[in-house]
Amino acid sequence: MTETTTFVPPSRFAVPGRIAVDTQTATTWQTATLTEIRRETPNAATFRFAVPAWAGHLPGQHLMLRLTAGDGYVAQRHYSIASSPDDSGHIELTLDHVDGGEVSGWFHTVARPGDSVEVRGPLSGFFAWPGDRAALLVGAGSGVVPLMSMLRHHRARSLDVPLRLLVSARSPEELIYAREYGAETTTVFTRAAPDGVPVGRMTAAHVEPLMAEAPPGGWEAYICGSNAFAEHASRLLVTAGQPVDRIRIERFG
Amino acid sequence: MNVTRGFTGRPRVHNAGLPPGQYDAGDDWPVLSAEVTPDLTPADWNLRIDGLVAEPRTWDWEQAHALPASAYEGDIHCVTSWSKFGVRFGGVSLDTFLDAVRPDPSATHAVAYAHTGYSANLPLADLTGGRAWIVWDYDGLPLPAEHGGPARLIVPHLYFWKSTKWIAGIRVLDHDEPGFWERNGYHARGNPWEEQRYSGD
């Protein structure tokens, strides 16, 4: 007797459809040469790398990066890719300077153009958006990084599927990519805001107008941020009517 | 070896419990799940074991808690590169559940699936012999929902994505059938000591 039935989830929760990942490129370490460092906020900077053999990625995917010490010690971390797929042989990462962070600490205090690190990827096809469906993007802090790859992709390809971005930051000074947002973006400031702009966490009042303008077929929702933010934002979306099986979450911290 | 200029790493002592490429997360326990955390109460929860077994069976919360208690105390390792030492989970050994349903001698693999729809494949040998548990307590307290509560599978000798949160069932098979993350680029087995992170590792 051979069991061949495909598993059907026993509950109302369902797994979103997958996006194929090239597993060969995901397992090969490549040298990435730092070509440029751009400050984004007092605590975050964008690091641009030349990776000549980069196979391309989908907006939202991440990579694994490793640094090697002289004694052979290796530190590896996952980072979301900030740049859109543009076939230039370059990718960009935007990293927060984490207190006591051994990898982010190296990037923010030691790294300079010409240095090289190793990367493998792109990885995981779950939190990825190829640009085929209307996208509602919700991020906080550096959680906006993979969402920016999606937004840049949308612009670079002049896609006509609707895209909206809801981004939360502590203050305007800490809003990553502040200069790049357009009419598709709603900002929320939790600690300090410009005069006349309310201060406070994301609420139903931010989410409901975006749900109200959902296109036929609805939104594919992508949430990225700290776990506390992801829990909060995903509950807001579900309460506002977004189906749980059309919410993809990337959490950190 | 590609030494990174100016990188020394944080001060460290050799830790024999740390698999290659991992770091010690200390008191942190990062939450890694790609889904909305379900509102699943003990009253909603149940566990089904079926597939290639003599007696498929479903346990509810009370029935599962009536089984002999078993605990895991040791380390866990996440594919995203953190490890956590000396954690304590309480529940029931998976052997107890499997003994009750009696897997067919031809059974070789299993798929563990969650109440959310998430799934992971595992060789049956990784689920037996005192190496896997269904747990509902963490450090003496109920397992938090974001960490898979009310109950999850733990298979601590493999990367932790194999330890299916919100465990709903285990289907016993005579072949390997990739689960959700394995179809999305992750390794079929996930042994931290072999660094089996991604498909092809």
Side-chain angles (χ1 to χ4, degrees):
Chain A
M1 179 176 96
T2 302
E3 181 69 55
T4 53
T5 341
T6 304
F7 165 63
V8 178
S11 75
R12 64 197 169 90
F13 304 105
V15 175
R18 78 189 180 100
I19 293 161
V21 185
D22 183 330
T23 55
Q24 263 192 322
T25 58
T27 55
T28 309
W29 287 102
Q30 302 185 57
T31 298
T33 305
L34 191 55
T35 61
E36 185 190 342
I37 302 174
R38 295 198 308 271
R39 182 137 299 280
E40 301 283 355
T41 71
N43 203 46
T46 292
F47 299 85
R48 182 173 176 83
F49 300 90
V51 192
W54 186 249
H57 59 274
L58 291 170
Q61 283 190 294
H62 59 266
L63 52 67
M64 192 173 248
L65 180 146
R66 81 176 172 195
L67 305 183
T68 305
D71 63 358
Y73 172 78
V74 164
Q76 38 188 35
R77 300 287 186 275
H78 281 102
Y79 292 116
S80 293
I81 301 163
S83 45
S84 63
D86 63 2
D87 305 322
S88 69
H90 287 76
I91 52 170
E92 294 185 356
L93 307 178
T94 300
L95 310 187
D96 268 334
H97 191 172
V98 179
D99 271 346
E102 63 175 352
V103 175
S104 73
W106 180 83
F107 270 101
H108 280 269
T109 62
V110 178
R112 62 186 185 219
D115 284 337
S116 60
V117 301
E118 290 173 288
V119 296
R120 60 189 284 197
L123 301 171
S124 188
F126 180 73
F127 198 84
W129 180 73
D132 55 345
R133 302 181 195 181
L136 176 59
L137 316 179
V138 185
S142 58
V144 75
V145 172
L147 310 180
M148 179 48 86
S149 178
M150 300 175 188
L151 175 52
R152 287 169 169 163
H153 181 64
H154 189 268
R155 288 186 186 161
R157 301 288 164 90
S158 303
L159 300 178
D160 54 15
V161 291
L163 177 144
R164 295 288 180 274
L165 172 63
L166 182 54
V167 57
S168 174
R170 279 192 287 242
S171 66
E173 294 70 36
E174 291 182 70
L175 180 64
I176 299 173
Y177 313 126
R179 292 175 306 279
E180 288 188 55
Y181 300 124
E184 77 293 317
T185 299
T186 308
T187 51
V188 178
F189 296 111
T190 58
R191 301 272 177 82
D195 281 346
V197 177
V199 172
R201 75 199 300 225
M202 193 175 284
T203 67
H206 296 105
V207 170
E208 280 162 1
L210 297 169
M211 292 302 296
E213 57 170 308
W219 297 113
E220 202 69 29
Y222 292 81
I223 298 174
C224 186
S226 68
N227 181 58
F229 176 80
E231 288 292 300
H232 176 64
S234 61
R235 292 212 164 94
L236 287 179
L237 286 191
V238 170
T239 303
Q242 177 69 13
V244 287
D245 61 350
R246 296 189 64 189
I247 299 178
R248 297 159 195 249
I249 304 178
E250 187 125 303
R251 308 159 192 255
F252 54 78
Chain B
M1 188 167 77
N2 288 297
V3 174
T4 313
R5 182 192 64 82
F7 177 69
T8 53
R10 66 165 70 94
R12 56 195 177 271
V13 288
H14 177 69
N15 186 334
L18 204 57
Q22 298 291 106
Y23 70 94
D24 181 357
D27 292 334
D28 292 341
W29 188 7
V31 175
L32 274 296
S33 57
E35 304 147 290
V36 177
T37 302
D39 286 321
L40 191 64
T41 67
D44 300 326
W45 181 86
N46 53 38
L47 175 75
R48 176 164 179 83
I49 304 187
D50 59 16
L52 268 181
V53 300
E55 284 182 57
R57 207 183 142 174
T58 302
W59 288 263
D60 66 18
W61 187 255
E62 300 293 321
Q63 291 163 338
H65 280 66
L67 298 171
S70 175
Y72 169 72
E73 190 159 353
D75 309 333
I76 57 176
H77 311 288
C78 178
V79 69
T80 63
S81 78
W82 56 264
S83 291
K84 188 166 173 61
F85 295 108
V87 299
R88 201 153 51 90
F89 288 105
V92 169
S93 169
L94 196 63
D95 289 312
T96 305
F97 292 99
L98 288 170
D99 288 348
V101 300
R102 291 183 286 128
D104 189 89
S106 66
T108 56
H109 289 80
V111 172
Y113 51 91
H115 280 274
T116 58
Y118 164 85
S119 62
N121 60 323
L122 293 133
L124 203 51
D126 281 317
L127 291 174
T128 53
R131 302 214 286 170
W133 289 259
I134 300 295
V135 300
W136 35 71
D137 287 347
Y138 173 74
D139 217 6
L141 295 170
L143 182 66
E146 62 190 16
H147 287 298
R152 75 182 295 167
L153 173 68
I154 61 162
V155 191
H157 67 285
L158 299 179
Y159 283 127
F160 218 48
W161 90 79
K162 294 290 186 179
S163 295
T164 305
K165 292 179 174 184
W166 313 298
I167 186 76
I170 292 171
R171 176 158 298 164
V172 177
L173 305 168
D174 63 1
H175 60 279
D176 197 6
E177 205 171 278
F180 173 72
W181 286 112
E182 297 79 18
R183 291 194 306 269
N184 279 280
Y186 288 79
H187 196 275
R189 178 145 187 265
N191 179 353
W193 299 95
E194 304 285 331
E195 277 213 88
Q196 293 170 340
R197 297 178 191 275
Y198 303 103
S199 175
D201 275 349

